[in-house]
Amino acid sequence: MKKILLLLVTILSFSAYAQEDAWVFFTGKPNAQTFLNSPLTMLSQRSLDRRSAQNIPLDIQDVPIHQAYIDQVTAAAGITVKAKSRWLNCLHVRGTAVSIYALANLPGVDHLEFADASLNLRMPSSPAQIQPVNKSMETLVTFNYGNSFNQIHMMNGDLLHQQNFTGAGKVVAVLDAGFPGVNTLNPFARLRNNNLLLGGYDFVNKNTNFYTGDSHGTMVLSTMGGYVDTQLVGTAPDAKYYLYITEDVNSENPVEESNWVEAAEMADYVGADIITSSLGYFGFDNTNYGHTYADMTGNKAFASRGANIAFTRGIIVVASAGNEGASTEPHVGVPAEANNVLAIGAVRSNRNIASFSSIGPSYDGRIKPDLMAQGQASVLSTTSGNVGTANGTSFSGPILAGMIATFWSAVPTLTNQEVVNYVKQSADRYTAPNNQYGYGIPDFSAALNTALAVSSVSKDVFTVYPNPASTQLSIQLPTTAQEASISIYTSVGQLVQRSTVNAASSSFSIAQLPAGIYFYQIRSGAQLQAGKLIKN
């Protein structure tokens, strides 16, 4: 006891006046049942629908923090509340160590957790000297014009686009540093004109002016939703987007992890299907706050904990692996290292790893990164509205996140876990993953064909697979149809084949058709369905 008291006195003597960051965790949620009995007081209808579709029940993590707990901390002398998390039942606060320690005596407070681990009433250790992230080096724009075919074709995403799967019906939440110009620049006109920008929030400045801040998020969004004919086609041009600012580019502080979790909770509330984040945390400006490699165990860092909970809500979380592959600390950082996050590394246009791409494994030996996409010379919109290129896992992450949205829009009845499984299993190194490439570069056409062949798909539609096809084509009938006729037409409308399928004979040959793009119509009674077919 004397040693503990001496340690506390020593800590307080050094920290009495310095401003510290910490999390205040609470014991429970006294009014939880009231909220659980009225789900729409916690979540939007779309969020509840996403849960229902995946058989995910509501639980106490969905319930807001008890307001009385928030009020008493907000009123405490010398304390500023910077962020909050209903999932983790805590507040991020800033104040002197003395002021923060005093919060432990408030009703409902379970424990305190300082960003500076040496203040958590245990013997301080020498912090690892991790250099803060040089944010100005994350994006290297070269302004070389071109088109985005390679970064999509590398994953066979263009084959999904040709089948009219472009992310429609899926909602993506983008967590980044700012989105200036998205409301005015030409590459985003298609999103604006089709009402695909659903809103957003600035969690740094606590306001709704999210078309501001650093331009990093603008470029990130363009890889998914940007469109300039013959120059740039995003990987999910018809998905819907929420834009959330969580990153303050002027400093590197743990409050950004709390902003990240708060934004993820908002993404859950509005019903987002996917969270994509090109942000990563390892070192902070105050080296006492920094993470070490030993912290990369999947659920220790605050943002990683929040990301894991997001997955349990039915959301897929995609995060850039990091650009530290050539540094003294080359490992995948927070939150990409989390157990339930898809960490995306970067390759060059020739499918070889980019030298800057952060590597694995996690400290506890898990495969990281999970997947790879083009992150060197990625084609995107610059802040002037021109199409150029830039380097970084900042862009390989959203390029792949957009493809996940497109894939999921083709098989919308899949759960988030099923989507992750199909995408991973399609990757070119799935059977032999390593610390540089993880499971490798996914093949979304192969993933879709597998999902359509073996998954539980919509009971109200006809499913055509494989697509692209080589010799055989199969039609999965909905429960409402016993038999159907399929007509196949050339691009100029010429009928080239008509076949009949039923439950006993659902496949037929198309070997005689030349390679190319065709259109089909399936008719069964009053049911009519049309689409595109690619013949290899």
Side-chain angles (χ1 to χ4, degrees):
M1 178 63 74
K2 289 182 179 179
K3 289 182 179 179
I4 294 175
L5 291 175
L6 177 60
L7 173 60
L8 179 57
V9 171
T10 302
I11 290 171
L12 294 180
S13 66
F14 282 103
S15 307
Y17 302 105
Q19 293 287 301
E20 298 291 344
D21 281 68
W23 293 272
V24 183
F25 291 84
F26 301 109
T27 54
K29 295 176 177 178
N31 296 330
Q33 196 58 49
T34 300
F35 285 97
L36 291 170
N37 290 341
S38 302
L40 284 171
T41 62
M42 302 184 297
L43 298 167
S44 68
Q45 187 61 55
R46 193 182 194 284
S47 181
L48 296 173
D49 291 344
R50 187 193 65 231
R51 303 283 189 90
S52 177
Q54 300 184 56
N55 296 315
I56 298 172
L58 297 174
D59 59 33
I60 197 167
Q61 288 181 313
D62 299 309
V63 175
I65 303 170
H66 187 43
Q67 188 60 44
Y69 294 164
I70 297 174
D71 293 342
Q72 66 183 1
V73 172
T74 302
I79 295 296
T80 302
V81 175
K82 304 296 291 184
K84 62 182 182 293
S85 170
R86 59 182 166 89
W87 287 346
L88 295 164
N89 200 21
C90 69
L91 300 176
H92 185 120
V93 300
R94 185 169 294 165
T96 64
V98 172
S99 298
I100 294 172
Y101 280 125
L103 300 177
N105 298 317
L106 294 175
V109 172
D110 182 75
H111 69 281
L112 307 175
E113 186 177 310
F114 281 84
D116 181 349
S118 68
L119 297 178
N120 288 325
L121 293 184
R122 57 178 180 262
M123 290 300 295
S125 56
S126 299
Q129 297 301 308
I130 303 171
Q131 295 298 317
V133 175
N134 181 354
K135 299 187 180 188
S136 65
M137 295 298 290
E138 288 184 353
T139 304
L140 305 176
V141 180
T142 60
F143 298 103
N144 292 324
Y145 293 96
N147 62 61
S148 53
F149 178 74
N150 190 75
Q151 64 199 36
I152 299 175
H153 180 65
M154 180 182 292
M155 300 180 289
N156 277 336
D158 54 310
L159 299 182
L160 272 67
H161 286 184
Q162 290 172 19
Q163 298 174 63
N164 289 332
F165 299 129
T166 53
K170 287 299 170 183
V171 176
V172 181
V174 188
L175 279 56
D176 216 285
F179 304 92
V182 172
N183 56 334
T184 58
L185 296 175
N186 180 60
F188 303 100
R190 192 170 184 273
L191 291 182
R192 297 193 301 269
N193 295 339
N194 290 294
N195 299 313
L196 299 177
L197 296 172
L198 301 183
Y201 191 76
D202 181 349
F203 288 89
V204 175
N205 297 300
K206 312 302 182 189
N207 62 52
T208 56
N209 184 17
F210 53 89
Y211 291 127
T212 186
D214 188 82
S215 60
H216 188 265
T218 301
M219 293 186 285
V220 163
L221 177 64
S222 73
T223 66
M224 296 176 286
Y227 182 84
V228 179
D229 191 31
T230 73
Q231 297 183 52
L232 171 65
V233 178
T235 48
D238 290 322
K240 297 178 180 179
Y241 296 92
Y242 282 96
L243 311 180
Y244 297 133
I245 299 176
T246 66
E247 181 79 358
D248 183 352
V249 296
N250 297 314
S251 65
E252 195 77 349
N253 184 279
V255 73
E256 292 168 309
E257 289 195 44
S258 294
N259 292 339
W260 195 100
V261 174
E262 199 167 7
E265 293 176 2
M266 179 61 74
D268 176 34
Y269 171 82
V270 299
D273 303 294
I274 297 164
I275 291 172
T276 185
S277 175
S278 294
L279 306 170
Y281 304 99
F282 224 118
F284 293 107
D285 295 339
N286 182 338
T287 55
N288 292 330
Y289 293 168
H291 300 299
T292 67
Y293 181 42
D295 295 330
M296 303 298 114
T297 56
N299 199 44
K300 182 177 181 181
F302 192 80
S304 295
R305 282 181 266 171
N308 286 332
I309 294 173
F311 188 81
T312 69
R313 313 295 98 172
I315 300 170
I316 293 176
V317 183
V318 179
S320 297
N323 301 330
E324 311 304 321
S327 73
T328 56
E329 178 41 87
H331 294 101
V332 172
V334 174
E337 60 86 31
N339 293 322
N340 292 324
V341 170
L342 286 175
I344 312 303
V347 295
R348 305 196 296 271
S349 60
N350 62 3
R351 303 174 72 94
N352 292 331
I353 189 170
S355 61
F356 55 78
S357 186
S358 293
I359 64 171
S362 63
Y363 185 76
D364 57 334
R366 289 172 293 115
I367 293 295
K368 289 289 176 177
D370 294 279
L371 298 166
M372 307 293 280
Q374 185 169 335
Q376 186 159 322
S378 302
V379 178
L380 42 72
S381 171
T382 68
T383 55
S384 63
N386 295 318
V387 175
T389 61
N391 301 331
T393 60
S394 287
F395 309 115
S396 59
I399 285 171
L400 201 146
M403 277 313 313
I404 288 176
T406 287
F407 170 75
W408 208 353
S409 72
V411 277
T413 59
L414 296 181
T415 67
N416 61 339
Q417 185 64 68
E418 288 172 329
V419 171
V420 168
N421 291 346
Y422 283 125
V423 173
K424 280 187 177 180
Q425 291 163 12
S426 77
D428 59 358
R429 297 171 188 260
Y430 179 70
T431 58
N434 61 36
N435 296 333
Q436 287 72 43
Y437 292 85
Y439 295 103
I441 302 168
D443 180 338
F444 281 92
S445 180
L448 179 58
N449 286 334
T450 301
L452 291 176
V454 304
S455 299
S456 175
V457 296
S458 173
K459 302 303 181 184
D460 299 322
V461 299
F462 298 91
T463 302
V464 178
Y465 67 95
N467 193 359
S470 296
T471 58
Q472 288 286 118
L473 194 66
S474 298
I475 311 295
Q476 181 171 318
L477 301 176
T479 56
T480 53
Q482 299 300 314
E483 185 177 84
S485 171
I486 179 170
S487 302
I488 301 176
Y489 302 86
T490 66
S491 59
V492 295
Q494 179 186 6
L495 177 66
V496 292
Q497 184 170 340
R498 178 172 287 147
S499 300
T500 300
V501 295
N502 54 47
S505 179
S506 61
S507 299
F508 56 92
S509 174
I510 57 169
Q512 74 283 3
L513 295 180
I517 297 176
Y518 296 85
F519 295 89
Y520 66 80
Q521 282 190 347
I522 304 174
R523 185 179 295 276
S524 178
Q527 287 183 270
L528 180 65
Q529 180 176 314
K532 284 185 181 179
L533 170 68
I534 301 172
K535 169 65 165 60
N536 289 329

